[in-house]
Amino acid sequence: MTSDPQTELYECLAATAELAVERTASRLLGEAQAVAADVRDLDDPAVVAERAEIVSNLLAEIDETGHPEADEYVARARNLAVQISER
């Protein structure tokens, strides 16, 4: 993973796409990944914070993914999303 939190957020979510996760978690992770792509590519701090909060809210809806490695990625992504949204 990279040292840039915005890129790392996207990479964590992209990594979950390669894993077998529960259907509801998969849908939410897909949505979060799409928004995280914006977070990764944007420079406007206010918009980045807003989008990171959306990612955080989507990830908050996931209790577990059904895959232990994906759960670890989700936990890291949650922390990153909060960190980015509070900048």
Side-chain angles (χ1 to χ4, degrees):
M1 298 280 162
T2 182
S3 63
D4 174 43
Q6 290 173 227
T7 301
E8 186 179 352
L9 173 62
Y10 174 80
E11 290 174 350
C12 283
L13 295 171
T16 65
E18 305 295 321
L19 304 171
V21 298
E22 294 176 354
R23 177 184 247 174
T24 300
S26 178
R27 181 185 59 79
L28 291 165
L29 288 167
E31 289 180 39
Q33 182 181 349
V35 178
D38 285 345
V39 170
R40 176 193 60 189
D41 297 334
L42 292 170
D43 293 325
D44 183 330
V47 177
V48 167
E50 178 183 306
R51 299 284 169 85
E53 186 173 347
I54 292 169
V55 172
S56 182
N57 291 338
L58 287 166
L59 296 178
E61 294 185 44
I62 300 171
D63 292 325
E64 59 181 40
T65 65
H67 192 287
E69 188 177 353
D71 288 340
E72 290 177 20
Y73 282 125
V74 169
R76 178 67 182 146
R78 280 183 181 133
N79 290 334
L80 289 164
V82 169
Q83 174 188 341
I84 295 165
S85 69
E86 292 178 346
R87 283 198 227 168

